Amino acid sequence: MRTEMSLAETLNELGLLGGRTLPRFVTSVGGAGDELEVVADARAVKNLPGPLKLATRLVPAVRSRLRVESFDGGVAVLAVDASAGGLPAHKLLGLARNRIESVLAAKGLPTGSVQIRPDARIALDVQRLLAARYPGTVVQGMAFADGRVAVDTAA
């Protein structure tokens, strides 16, 4: 069964978000074709590492394009291309690794279900995240379609 959802609905279903509204630092979500576009005001993100906090003073708006590069064994690998004032912000993605891991732990989600890779990619274990909330669900695919997230599941 294919389900198409907004980014907020998807994050809520995966247990990564505590409601159906995005955090206040996300100012825009859209996209065309197989890319999801997200714009964030980095100044509104709390507890940023020192180097990122300094960077947000200079260039607060971060524009990101995400694309599902592959899906295998329930894991979606997302390619991330982000820029802040024309500079390649996706190269700083690794600095958010500890913050992401602490959010997962605080929410009681499976350890390692979101991994930041050194090549500006994110491995999202959609199967583990959904199975933690909906036992018996089998995820067969994930894609972006015109600013929405499409997830294919079987019971």
Side-chain angles (χ1 to χ4, degrees):
M1 174 174 78
R2 176 165 273 218
T3 305
E4 288 192 20
M5 301 170 275
S6 70
L7 179 60
E9 291 167 331
T10 304
L11 294 174
N12 183 59
E13 289 300 312
L14 294 175
L16 297 170
L17 192 64
R20 294 193 181 269
T21 58
L22 290 169
R24 61 189 168 104
F25 61 83
V26 176
T27 58
S28 170
V29 176
D34 66 349
E35 285 191 347
L36 187 67
E37 299 171 359
V38 180
V39 179
D41 180 350
R43 295 172 300 187
V45 178
K46 296 182 191 251
N47 302 323
L48 282 176
L52 286 179
K53 190 178 286 191
L54 178 63
T56 63
R57 290 182 190 154
L58 300 172
V59 185
V62 178
R63 300 179 188 292
S64 303
R65 288 191 322 268
L66 298 100
R67 184 176 40 82
V68 178
E69 192 169 78
S70 65
F71 188 88
D72 186 37
V75 178
V77 175
L78 310 177
V80 180
D81 181 18
S83 65
L87 300 173
H90 55 272
K91 297 196 183 236
L92 301 175
L93 194 55
L95 295 175
R97 180 178 291 120
N98 290 338
R99 174 80 173 128
I100 290 170
E101 289 171 1
S102 67
V103 168
L104 291 173
K107 292 184 176 294
L109 295 171
T111 303
S113 52
V114 178
Q115 296 177 357
I116 305 298
R117 296 185 173 175
D119 58 357
R121 284 171 173 60
I122 300 172
L124 181 64
D125 195 331
V126 181
Q127 179 61 54
R128 284 178 67 201
L129 289 167
L130 278 180
R133 294 190 56 157
Y134 306 104
T137 299
V138 176
V139 181
Q140 299 173 319
M142 178 180 161
F144 299 135
D146 297 324
R148 296 183 59 80
V149 180
V151 179
D152 298 316
T153 58

